[in-house]
Structures are given as structure tokens and as C-alpha cells.
Amino acid sequence: MQYAVVAIEPKDVIEELFRRGTAGEESVIDELIAEDMVNHAAGPARQGREGWKQIIATIRTDLGSDFFVENHHLIADGDLVAHHMTIHGHHQASTMPLLAGVEAMGADVTWTYIHIWRVANGRVVEHWACRDDVGLLRQVGAWPPPTIGS
């Protein structure tokens, strides 16, 4: 008996990654992120599957384990998927470099992103991101930054 091999569409991979990932299912990262994923939006310490786990853990620490993702647009073209989304959470810590030195006030915050993912053989192999960091910093009272000499 022969079985048909069903190819997973890149858009389906990203939908599943976020559906299960935001529900706290860390196993989805092992299943859908390549071990050696290149993350163009992160430094050397945040590469690959383990780097992505670190990023998610930091977001959970800083914005709460109950953060959720609002998906705006998910657009696929070949092996690339563009994802426009907003994270909703509560600023409860400042462990990520972006929030360094910012006192956590427990305020509700939103953080908007556009991700671009490249998917090959059912796994994410590359990632790029554009984030509204200034928008997040404004919400936690860290923008505009203090001027020199004040």
C-alpha cells in the first residue's frame, strides 16, 4: 500500500506555530522551527530553535504568560509568509534589552510586528521582523528618551 505524502503549505506552518505556540505548547517550536533557523531579527545568541525558545520565554516574562496574539494579516507567496500581528500583554518585567532600565508598572501594552518567515520542508528556516518598538516604549513611559543633561 502506498501513502500519499501531504506537503504542508508555508502559510499553514505559520498558522500552526502561532495557534499552538501562543497557547503555551512549546513542542510546536521543536516541530516547526528548524534547529538551525537563521533569525535575521536577532543577535547571535538568539539563533535557531533554541534562540526562538529564549525569545518566547522573554516575552512571557516581560509581557505575562497570558499574553495573546491578534493576527491581522497572513500572506503567503511561495516559501515566504508575511505575518502582521499584535501582541497584547501586561508589562510585568523588563528583562529584554529594549526595556532595560524601565520600571515594570503592570500596564496593559500592545506590540505590533510584521514578520517574514521562509519555510522549507514544513519548517521555518529563516525569519525577519519589523517591530513597533517606539510604540511599546511610549506605552511604558520610556519614550521619548531623556535628553542629555536633564
Side-chain angles (χ1 to χ4, degrees):
M1 175 180 265
Q2 290 187 348
Y3 295 96
V5 176
V6 178
I8 300 173
E9 292 296 320
K11 185 176 177 183
D12 296 335
V13 170
I14 302 308
E15 285 176 331
E16 187 73 359
L17 178 65
F18 276 84
R19 185 184 67 76
R20 291 175 48 204
T22 56
E25 268 189 67
E26 282 196 31
S27 63
V28 73
I29 295 172
D30 292 328
E31 294 170 30
L32 299 179
I33 301 280
E35 186 174 351
D36 59 350
M37 175 192 68
V38 176
N39 190 345
H40 300 282
R46 300 285 174 109
Q47 294 299 308
R49 182 183 298 147
E50 294 306 313
W52 190 255
K53 288 178 183 178
Q54 291 172 10
I55 290 167
I56 298 303
T58 300
I59 291 171
R60 284 193 190 289
T61 297
D62 288 4
L63 302 184
S65 60
D66 61 345
F67 82 88
F68 68 95
V69 173
E70 177 184 2
N71 296 297
H72 305 295
H73 304 95
L74 198 61
I75 304 163
D77 183 16
D79 63 352
L80 297 173
V81 180
H83 184 200
H84 176 211
M85 56 166 271
T86 299
I87 293 176
H88 296 260
H90 311 282
H91 180 214
Q92 60 188 31
S94 293
T95 64
M96 66 179 77
L98 175 65
L99 298 176
V102 177
E103 184 179 343
M105 303 297 278
D108 289 342
V109 294
T110 59
W111 196 9
T112 301
Y113 289 75
I114 295 176
H115 294 281
I116 300 176
W117 308 90
R118 188 168 74 81
V119 178
N121 300 318
R123 291 189 180 217
V124 174
V125 295
E126 280 187 281
H127 170 256
W128 298 261
C130 181
R131 308 179 314 212
D132 182 11
D133 290 351
V134 171
L136 179 62
L137 291 171
R138 279 189 177 129
Q139 293 170 75
V140 298
W143 192 269
T147 56
I148 297 175
S150 60

